[in-house]
Amino acid sequence: MAESRDSYAHAFFVSAYVLGPRDTRTDHGFLELLPCLFDKLHFDPVLSSSLAVLCHCYFGAWHRPIRDAENVEVRQAYSKALSGLRHALKDPSHCATDGMLMSVCLLNFFEYTTSALKSRPRGDQHVDGATALVKQRGSKRMTSDLSKRLLIAVRHDMVSKALARSMPVDNAPEMWEDPSEDMPYNPATSLDFIARDTANLAARAAEPGLPSDVDSLDLEIIHSDIFLEAKALQARYAQWAEQVPAEWLPFSVSRDLLPHSIIEAGLNGDYCHIYTHTSVCTTWNDWRVQHIRILGLIADYGETEATNDAVLHIQRLADDIHASVPFMLGDKVKPSQMHIMDYVYPSIPGQSVPASHYQSAAAFGGLALWVPLRAILDFGRYMRDDQIVFTIQQFHRVGRLYDVRNSQ
């Protein structure tokens, strides 16, 4: 029975989250790489147990009779994975393998998932562990295609952590020097470089107050520098949006063309957006969240006109995050098993909803909204009242869909 349950969990996770539909131009070099290492699972107990953690986590979270992302199988696999990691870290040759790096990335993804589902702060140990492994190897020596893509994945996790913590990114050459000119970058990964500079500027602006002996002229210069750097980053975000593939641009569907059940479940404003894929929608929302952070600095350090313009821009970006909610959640308002497809999603007039969207939206839709919705509340001082109210409503909705404890 245990073997059967292991097989079910593995098949579920791989089919839904590893081999599921996606736009490859949004890949950050992580889960989609697992098939490259499947042949090593029988010979690498650390990798196999780390994968088992995620498989049982997601299988337990979606399996209605259990609905527990930290069930006994998860705890057993996690304990085995940590024990194996501690032993493997004593062997320098093992530390330099892609299997070891993938194992730590898997455990980091598990920490992200459970922190979201349990509504608790996310731990940093696995992000820091993956960073240490890359620095030990040296990014210049990560020359295989698999190594390059894992390097991109670790960089992405580093930047995400820095943005969430308002802390600077580790800019060590061992992390950021490319091993070759043919790195597998795409529109999503190119956004990480802008996000890195955004995190560093936000961290500098968030530093504790300056000494009392700093005169007003020096303070004005410091504030002006932050403002000018924020404006430069705003221009880079605008340029990114102008250069994405044309088919990535969201399609607006007006309220009067939407099914009533979707409006009732959650629509703020007169339209929603349709995307070619949930991964494209998630990438746009990543861009919006980062852009809001920069606009917040412009609003904080700019003159009146710049502040007013930035606030209006922040509100427009928040409106577009809200416009993605129907696409990601449809009219779903209560938990269900992933395979159930009787929910309604918005579509472009005259077109049907692709079957692949039911799978990808069920797998990623709610969890992918967690960070964008949180960002709106974090910058609530710039939001309209209706935006705050709708965001809180959708937070509770996502909490119900995923049985999140203490969702708020």
Side-chain angles (χ1 to χ4, degrees):
M1 182 65 183
E3 181 179 352
S4 177
R5 185 165 181 78
D6 288 344
S7 299
Y8 285 144
H10 185 274
F12 171 82
F13 180 75
V14 170
S15 63
Y17 291 92
V18 177
L19 302 178
R22 72 184 195 281
D23 187 321
T24 57
R25 292 167 296 183
T26 64
D27 287 349
H28 282 288
F30 171 44
L31 286 179
E32 71 275 5
L33 302 180
L34 271 171
C36 301
L37 294 168
F38 279 168
D39 62 334
K40 294 180 171 55
L41 288 175
H42 291 297
F43 310 101
D44 189 336
V46 177
L47 179 62
S48 61
S49 56
S50 298
L51 177 58
V53 173
L54 268 183
C55 292
H56 284 294
C57 169
Y58 276 82
F59 186 64
W62 279 106
H63 192 51
R64 287 298 300 158
I66 302 174
R67 202 69 175 180
D68 185 4
E70 291 182 310
N71 52 70
V72 62
E73 289 92 347
V74 171
R75 293 192 292 273
Q76 290 173 347
Y78 190 62
S79 177
K80 183 178 179 181
L82 289 182
S83 176
L85 273 176
R86 295 189 189 101
H87 179 74
L89 286 172
K90 300 175 183 177
D91 181 356
S93 63
H94 201 114
C95 292
T97 65
D98 291 334
M100 171 66 94
L101 190 54
M102 174 62 83
S103 299
V104 179
C105 288
L106 288 169
L107 294 178
N108 179 55
F109 190 53
F110 166 72
E111 289 287 351
Y112 167 76
T113 301
T114 53
S115 65
L117 293 178
K118 300 292 184 178
S119 190
R120 68 190 182 202
R122 176 184 176 181
D124 294 336
Q125 63 268 30
H126 297 307
V127 180
D128 296 341
T131 301
L133 287 174
V134 170
K135 292 173 71 174
Q136 181 177 339
R137 292 174 65 175
S139 60
K140 292 285 284 185
R141 292 193 292 271
M142 299 179 69
T143 55
S144 72
D145 289 342
L146 178 58
S147 295
K148 291 175 184 177
R149 295 171 72 183
L150 283 170
L151 171 62
I152 289 172
V154 176
R155 288 172 175 174
H156 175 71
D157 286 342
M158 281 179 58
V159 171
S160 299
K161 168 194 166 182
L163 285 170
R165 298 279 194 273
S166 295
M167 60 186 292
V169 177
D170 185 345
N171 285 317
E174 297 86 357
M175 278 300 310
W176 292 97
E177 287 183 343
D178 286 344
S180 65
E181 295 182 356
D182 60 339
M183 288 292 287
Y185 292 131
N186 58 41
T189 57
S190 66
L191 193 57
D192 287 339
F193 289 94
I194 315 176
R196 177 188 63 177
D197 296 339
T198 296
N200 287 335
L201 182 60
R204 183 147 59 90
E207 288 177 352
L210 296 168
S212 57
D213 58 350
V214 173
D215 61 38
S216 59
L217 179 58
D218 288 340
L219 187 60
E220 183 177 337
I221 292 173
I222 293 171
H223 288 179
S224 176
D225 286 345
I226 293 175
F227 174 78
L228 292 175
E229 288 187 43
K231 290 291 290 184
L233 282 167
Q234 181 189 12
R236 290 172 64 186
Y237 281 115
Q239 184 181 39
W240 182 91
E242 293 170 355
Q243 295 176 344
V244 298
E247 61 270 24
W248 277 24
L249 298 177
F251 186 95
S252 293
V253 178
S254 62
R255 171 186 285 263
D256 59 328
L257 296 176
L258 293 172
H260 181 71
S261 61
I262 289 179
I263 297 174
E264 285 292 303
L267 179 70
N268 190 37
D270 297 323
Y271 66 95
C272 79
H273 282 155
I274 308 295
Y275 299 84
T276 54
H277 196 275
T278 54
S279 63
V280 173
C281 177
T282 299
T283 302
W284 271 112
N285 279 343
D286 288 344
W287 173 83
R288 291 172 183 128
V289 168
Q290 296 166 23
H291 204 165
I292 286 173
R293 291 182 184 278
I294 283 300
L295 289 166
L297 293 177
I298 293 173
D300 288 342
Y301 292 95
E303 301 293 338
T304 302
E305 183 177 356
T307 296
N308 292 339
D309 289 344
V311 169
L312 290 175
H313 200 165
I314 288 171
Q315 292 175 355
R316 288 196 297 271
L317 291 170
D319 284 336
D320 286 343
I321 291 173
H322 286 166
S324 72
V325 170
F327 176 76
M328 297 296 259
L329 298 183
D331 65 353
K332 189 180 296 187
V333 294
K334 61 182 180 180
S336 68
Q337 291 180 313
M338 185 181 289
H339 66 271
I340 295 177
M341 297 179 61
D342 59 355
Y343 294 101
V344 179
Y345 290 94
S347 62
I348 296 174
Q351 299 183 17
S352 59
V353 177
S356 61
H357 184 62
Y358 288 91
Q359 178 180 345
S360 61
F364 294 103
L367 290 177
L369 288 172
W370 205 256
V371 171
L373 292 174
R374 172 64 68 186
I376 292 176
L377 295 183
D378 288 344
F379 289 85
R381 62 190 183 280
Y382 299 124
M383 302 298 171
R384 304 188 307 267
D385 289 345
D386 69 285
Q387 292 177 319
I388 298 297
V389 170
F390 182 77
T391 300
I392 293 173
Q393 290 172 344
Q394 297 311 302
F395 247 125
H396 285 296
R397 179 185 177 190
V398 173
R400 290 193 302 272
L401 293 178
Y402 288 86
D403 285 348
V404 175
R405 279 64 165 176
N406 302 318
S407 61
Q408 53 185 351

